[in-house]
Amino acid sequence: MGVVFLFEAGEIACSDFDQVIDCTGIAQGDDDLRGVRGEMLLLSTRDVSLARPVRLLHPRHPIYIVPRADHHFMVGATMIESDHDGPITARSLMELLNAAYALHPAFGEAEIVETGAGVRPAYSDNLPRAKRRKDGTITINGLYRHGFLLSPAMAEQAASLLFNASADN
Ligand SMILES: Cc1cc2nc3c(=O)[nH]c(=O)nc-3n(C[C@H](O)[C@H](O)[C@H](O)COP(=O)(O)OP(=O)(O)OC[C@H]3O[C@@H](n4cnc5c(N)ncnc54)[C@H](O)[C@@H]3O)c2cc1C
């Protein structure tokens, strides 16, 4: 529909645009938002074979393991009330590895291919919102643990805010 995406665009003045949709996650600085840190591992082993994602029901380590191509397995994810986005901590690394090992001892011999950490933006009820701020900016935020799954629905809500407001003008 003629939308242009600019990556690595540097500093752009929002005032240059008729409509601005802010999707900057935790950086948005909304007082209602909090960060929930998540850490994950990517393991590689030929000794485990999973046909589908497996969720471990465990009181301390409720992790999931997602089989990926080339004998890789994503092990995730921690849930820590923090907006710190630094590298994975030793404690989290140990806990994720322990949980993977408990699920299948062959993970003890797996190679650690990658570790990752991110901050999930969340509102107090953990539900996402598309809303219009007083300055006219539309914000999409609070996607918490489900950003990939919910983004089409949130885009629809944002489009509805955008085009209904345009129709009113
Ligand atoms: C370990 C882990 C595993 C996860 N697994 C899943 C999963 O399996 N399924 C799922 O649905 N969700 C998952 N999530 C959650 C998902 O990652 C989040 O819900 C989602 O990333 C939130 O999307 P967002 O675009 O709102 O925010 P973000 O992904 O945080 O994106 C915000 C972006 O804005 C950029 N930005 C900040 N300030 C500015 C600025 N001033 N100008 C321009 N850009 C700016 C940031 O660099 C960032 O790229 C997981 C999260 C973690 C941490």
Side-chain angles (χ1 to χ4, degrees):
M1 296 179 77
V3 174
V4 178
F5 289 87
L6 297 177
F7 295 99
E8 311 291 342
E11 286 298 312
I12 294 177
C14 290
S15 54
D16 292 347
F17 297 86
D18 297 334
Q19 299 280 352
V20 174
I21 303 176
D22 184 329
C23 310
T24 55
I26 199 71
Q28 189 186 304
D30 182 334
D31 287 344
D32 296 337
L33 274 176
R34 72 186 205 286
V36 182
R37 178 177 160 85
E39 297 146 299
M40 51 76 73
L41 311 174
L42 200 58
L43 302 179
S44 173
T45 175
R46 289 179 173 273
D47 296 334
V48 181
S49 179
L50 297 178
R52 56 178 59 82
V54 174
R55 186 174 288 277
L56 180 66
L57 298 176
H58 188 287
R60 279 190 59 210
H61 312 301
I63 64 154
Y64 53 85
I65 299 186
V66 184
R68 295 225 177 128
D70 297 329
H71 311 280
H72 284 44
F73 298 85
M74 185 220 162
V75 183
T78 58
M79 298 245 288
I80 299 168
E81 293 286 329
S82 164
D83 56 10
H84 176 60
D85 65 354
I88 190 169
T89 61
R91 178 194 299 275
S92 295
L93 186 59
M94 282 190 296
E95 290 187 348
L96 290 173
L97 287 173
N98 273 333
Y101 182 70
L103 191 79
H104 198 308
F107 280 118
E109 304 303 322
E111 293 174 356
I112 300 174
V113 177
E114 187 184 314
T115 64
V119 178
R120 309 173 183 96
Y123 290 112
S124 56
D125 56 5
N126 296 333
L127 295 176
R129 322 228 195 295
K131 55 188 185 183
R132 191 181 280 279
R133 282 201 312 238
K134 283 192 182 129
D135 66 3
T137 303
I138 292 173
T139 63
I140 306 175
N141 222 321
L143 284 108
Y144 186 48
R145 298 188 77 186
H146 312 292
F148 305 117
L149 292 173
L150 294 179
S151 50
M154 299 313 295
E156 258 179 31
Q157 286 187 27
S160 165
L161 280 172
L162 187 65
F163 293 115
N164 290 339
S166 300
D168 291 345
N169 288 336

